[in-house]
Each structure stands twice: as structure tokens, then as C-alpha cells.
């Protein structure tokens, strides 16, 4: 695909070989994007007489695509190539477009690598620098424009939760994470029991971690920051008690509730 920059008057083609199926990210407030593009000069012509099956063609294409792609940062219409150690994974850009994070240098058969950061100031793209090490390759999110959430020591859906190099909590159940950038809060389950399907629900905000309740089965944060959660849940009968929590106050809502229906909301 062609990737273009539009300044309100003129269009500039950044690249004609943008790979929209790869990992890429864009800032929400600035014209900054990271992306993967193919070097089309690496594509050689092939004689049909040398092709025995369609699988040969597919293998050739996959091989060329895997070796000819590079990663780039475009700040408006200024493009810079990202120097990589092995393979760049999971880009993240904050809303203001001033910081880019990504994973690289992942050891073979491992689920962690080095977390790199690129600073952008006055439209100038800086050099990549190692921000942290042994970072889980997935689950990188911004809590706010200057707060990055990630995991370390991750295994079997559980790990240490970090924000900006600071460990917030350990034994955190990664599938439960609810990052609310509109509230600058992170909700999560700690001490999750896989067999009984419950854990301790906590919330992190501005350097402080607060426990909401123990032994909860599920939770949902609505658009205004109120937390609904299921307590005393029976896996045999599939129901429990529904509570609402907000700013430290808890109120019982109903009994014999089977599930919380998660709905979308505007941010």
C-alpha cells in the first residue's frame, strides 16, 4: 500500500510498499507513525520454467518478504530507518508522538527481549536506546502520555507488572489487565487462582496501588470509572453476587448474577 502524509494542502507519498499487516503504530495527536516497508529492489525475476508448483512461488515470496523488509519512523514527511538487532516487535507510540517503544533482540525460543525507546523532539527522531531488559514481548500499553505499562518475568499468563521501570506488583494475571488511559488507571487481578477462577482485584493510579476486594471472579470498568465485580461466584451453579465499587466505596447491586456483560463506551 502507499502511505501518505497530508499537511492540509499537499499530499506526500512516504512509501509505496507499506505493509499494513505488520506491527505498526501511530500517535493520536501528532503525525508520527512507525511502520514496516519492503525494499522492492530485492525482488528478483523468476523463470517460469524453474517453477514446479504453486508452493515454490509461495515459498519464494515469503522468503523475500521476510528478508527485504525494514522498519521506519515517519514524523510528518521526514522518514528515518529504525536500526534493528534481530526483529522489531510491538511498536507503541504515546499520544503526543514524543516517544516510541518497541521490543527487539529476543533470544531464540524466549518470550522476552530488550525494550527500546526513541525520543522525538521538535520533529527530530533520536537514536534508539535500550530502556529496559527482559521485557515480555506482548502487552505493552500506555497508561498516560508519559506512563508505559509492560511485564517482566512472565510465564503462564502471570508476571511482574511494570510502569516506567518501576515494578508495581508481582503475580499479576495478564489477561485481566484493563488499562484505562482516559482515567490514567490500570485495573488487574493479583494472586489469580486458575482452578477456582478468582483473584484479588486492584487498581493502580499515579504511583499508588489500591486493593478493591479479594476472591473475585470477574470485573468491568464502565465509562465513568465505576467498577462492577462478581464475588462469591459458584463455578458449579455459575452465579455470584454483583457489587459496585467507586473511589473506595462498595455497594451490593444484586444476587444470583451469572455474568457481567462487557459493553463498549465512548472515551
Amino acid at each position: 500500500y502507499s502511505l501518505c502524509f497530508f499537511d492540509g494542502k499537499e499530499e506526500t507519498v512516504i512509501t509505496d510498499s507499506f505493509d499494513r499487516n505488520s506491527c505498526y503504530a501511530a500517535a493520536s495527536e501528532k503525525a508520527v507513525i512507525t511502520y514496516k516497508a519492503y525494499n522492492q529492489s530485492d525482488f528478483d525475476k523468476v523463470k517460469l520454467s524453474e517453477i514446479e508448483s504453486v508452493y515454490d512461488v509461495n515459498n519464494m515470496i515469503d522468503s523475500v518478504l521476510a528478508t527485504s523488509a525494514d522498519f521506519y519512523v515517519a514524523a510528518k514527511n521526514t522518514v528515518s530507518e529504525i536500526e534493528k538487532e534481530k526483529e522489531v516487535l510491538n511498536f507503541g507510540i504515546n499520544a503526543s508522538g514524543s516517544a516510541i517503544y518497541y521490543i527487539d533482540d529476543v533470544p531464540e525460543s524466549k518470550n522476552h527481549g530488550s525494550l527500546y525507546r526513541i525520543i522525538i523532539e521538535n520533529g527530530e527522531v533520536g537514536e534508539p536506546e535500550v530502556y529496559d531488559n527482559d521485557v515480555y514481548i506482548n502487552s505493552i500499553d500506555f497508561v498516560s502520555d508519559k506512563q508505559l505499562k509492560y511485564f517482566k518475568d512472565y510465564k503462564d499468563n502471570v508476571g511482574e507488572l511494570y510502569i516506567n521501570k518501576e515494578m508495581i506488583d508481582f503475580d499479576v494475571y495478564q489477561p485481566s489487565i484493563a488499562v484505562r488511559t482516559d482515567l490514567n488507571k490500570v485495573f488487574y487481578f493479583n494472586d489469580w487462582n486458575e482452578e477456582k477462577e478468582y483473584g484479588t482485584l486492584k487498581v493502580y493510579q499515579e504511583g499508588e496501588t489500591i486493593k478493591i476486594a479479594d476472591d473475585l471472579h470477574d470485573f468491568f470498568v464502565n465509562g465513568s470509572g465505576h467498577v462492577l465485580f462478581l464475588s462469591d461466584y459458584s463455578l458449579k451453579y455459575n452465579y455470584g453476587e454483583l457489587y459496585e465499587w467507586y473511589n473506595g466505596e462498595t455497594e451490593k447491586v444484586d444476587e444470583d448474577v451469572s455474568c457481567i456483560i462487557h459493553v463498549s463506551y465512548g472515551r
Side-chain angles (χ1 to χ4, degrees):
Y1 291 85
S2 293
L3 175 65
C4 303
F5 167 70
F6 182 64
D7 64 2
K9 296 181 180 180
E10 294 185 39
E11 173 189 285
T12 302
V13 177
I14 303 298
T15 179
D16 284 323
S17 56
F18 172 75
D19 177 13
R20 75 185 185 108
N21 294 318
S22 65
C23 62
Y24 66 92
S28 59
E29 299 174 2
K30 297 287 186 179
V32 178
I33 186 173
T34 59
Y35 63 92
K36 183 179 181 180
Y38 297 114
N39 183 354
Q40 298 187 37
S41 63
D42 289 345
F43 289 74
D44 296 327
K45 293 183 179 181
V46 179
K47 293 182 179 180
L48 289 176
S49 59
E50 298 176 355
I51 303 299
E52 295 183 357
S53 70
V54 67
Y55 301 105
D56 292 340
V57 178
N58 291 335
N59 290 335
M60 290 178 184
I61 293 174
D62 290 340
S63 176
V64 171
L65 291 180
T67 58
S68 68
D70 292 309
F71 290 90
Y72 300 88
V73 179
K76 295 186 177 180
N77 58 351
T78 301
V79 179
S80 301
E81 183 178 348
I82 297 176
E83 297 296 332
K84 60 183 180 181
E85 295 295 328
K86 292 184 178 179
E87 181 66 22
V88 175
L89 302 172
N90 297 326
F91 281 115
I93 303 179
N94 60 356
S96 65
S98 60
I100 299 170
Y101 294 85
Y102 62 91
I103 300 291
D104 194 359
D105 200 17
V106 179
E108 187 175 353
S109 301
K110 299 294 183 179
N111 67 354
H112 59 80
S114 298
L115 178 63
Y116 283 78
R117 180 177 66 175
I118 298 175
I119 298 298
I120 301 176
E121 292 182 332
N122 300 320
E124 295 292 327
V125 180
E127 294 295 324
E129 59 180 3
V130 176
Y131 183 77
D132 207 343
N133 293 300
D134 300 324
V135 175
Y136 175 52
I137 60 177
N138 294 317
S139 194
I140 297 175
D141 296 290
F142 283 96
V143 182
S144 66
D145 196 65
K146 296 183 179 180
Q147 290 182 302
L148 183 75
K149 179 229 79 183
Y150 53 92
F151 277 87
K152 299 180 72 170
D153 194 23
Y154 184 87
K155 182 180 180 181
D156 297 331
N157 292 327
V158 174
E160 298 172 347
L161 175 62
Y162 277 74
I163 295 180
N164 290 3
K165 299 183 182 180
E166 178 184 357
M167 190 178 78
I168 304 305
D169 210 337
F170 63 94
D171 196 21
V172 175
Y173 186 55
Q174 188 269 334
S176 72
I177 288 284
V179 177
R180 288 295 302 272
T181 56
D182 54 335
L183 302 172
N184 292 339
K185 294 182 180 180
V186 181
F187 299 85
Y188 62 91
F189 275 131
N190 172 255
D191 193 24
W192 180 256
N193 188 310
E194 193 70 44
E195 180 181 355
K196 297 181 179 179
E197 296 185 13
Y198 63 63
T200 298
L201 181 59
K202 296 182 179 181
V203 57
Y204 170 85
Q205 182 183 30
E206 297 178 353
E208 183 180 9
T209 301
I210 299 173
K211 184 175 76 171
I212 295 176
D214 291 314
D215 301 338
L216 305 186
H217 175 70
D218 190 19
F219 74 95
F220 174 70
V221 187
N222 68 12
S224 58
H226 291 247
V227 182
L228 296 171
F229 62 80
L230 284 175
S231 181
D232 296 325
Y233 194 84
S234 170
L235 295 179
K236 180 178 180 180
Y237 299 104
N238 293 320
Y239 63 73
E241 298 178 344
L242 180 65
Y243 288 84
E244 181 184 50
W245 178 93
Y246 185 68
N247 285 344
E249 300 294 327
T250 303
E251 180 180 355
K252 188 174 181 179
V253 177
D254 205 349
E255 297 180 347
D256 300 338
V257 177
S258 295
C259 67
I260 301 171
I261 300 175
H262 295 205
V263 297
S264 60
Y265 49 84
R267 293 194 174 186

